[in-house]
Amino acid sequence: LSGAPLAQHRSIELSEDPSAPNFFVNGRQFSMGAPTFDTPAKVGTVEEWTITNTSGEDHPFHMHTDAFQVTAVNGIPAPYPHRQDTVIVPHAVNGTPGRVVIRQQFSDYPGLWMFHCHIAAHEDHGMMGYIQVNP
């Protein structure tokens, strides 16, 4: 996917409240009535997403429906061009968020595509979102 034209760039921030079991995607806890992004994706396109982690622990980011390609982790190009459905987003160090850049292809499945931290307790306490994918 590294040479594919990009339809859109998106940003995701993973964060948490260390004083309570509350976890967030883009500052919000999961709600089925509110997609993470106002603008839907479109089937047949490729997008580049930058996922940052401002917390003090790693978060395994997991995408449902179709795999993605990791292009960089903390600014270092990814060594393997294969597709995967989960990637560790490193924790913040000295106030600098961990950062992963992925390319997501929206193949031929319109509908709601879910993504979340793959640690069940984090997902259950709000670190989950979705994107609407239109035909």
Side-chain angles (χ1 to χ4, degrees), residues 22-89:
N22 294 317
F23 297 86
F24 309 94
V25 172
N26 288 356
R28 297 186 315 192
Q29 288 189 293
F30 177 70
S31 168
M32 197 59 209
T36 303
F37 305 108
D38 293 332
T39 305
K42 185 175 180 186
V43 165
T45 64
V46 175
E47 295 186 355
E48 186 169 82
W49 291 14
T50 299
I51 308 162
T52 56
N53 177 3
T54 61
S55 76
E57 62 183 308
D58 294 349
H59 291 291
F61 177 84
H62 174 70
M63 185 80 175
H64 287 221
T65 310
D66 211 347
F68 52 79
Q69 181 182 8
V70 176
T71 61
V73 177
N74 283 342
I76 299 169
Y80 306 109
H82 67 277
R83 294 189 195 189
Q84 57 198 68
D85 65 6
T86 307
V87 63
I88 299 294
V89 183

Side-chain angles (χ1 to χ4, degrees), residues 8-31:
Q8 180 137 236
H9 293 269
R10 298 187 195 260
S11 296
I12 293 179
E13 180 186 85
L14 306 176
S15 61
E16 59 186 79
D17 178 354
S19 65
N22 294 317
F23 297 86
F24 309 94
V25 172
N26 288 356
R28 297 186 315 192
Q29 288 189 293
F30 177 70
S31 168

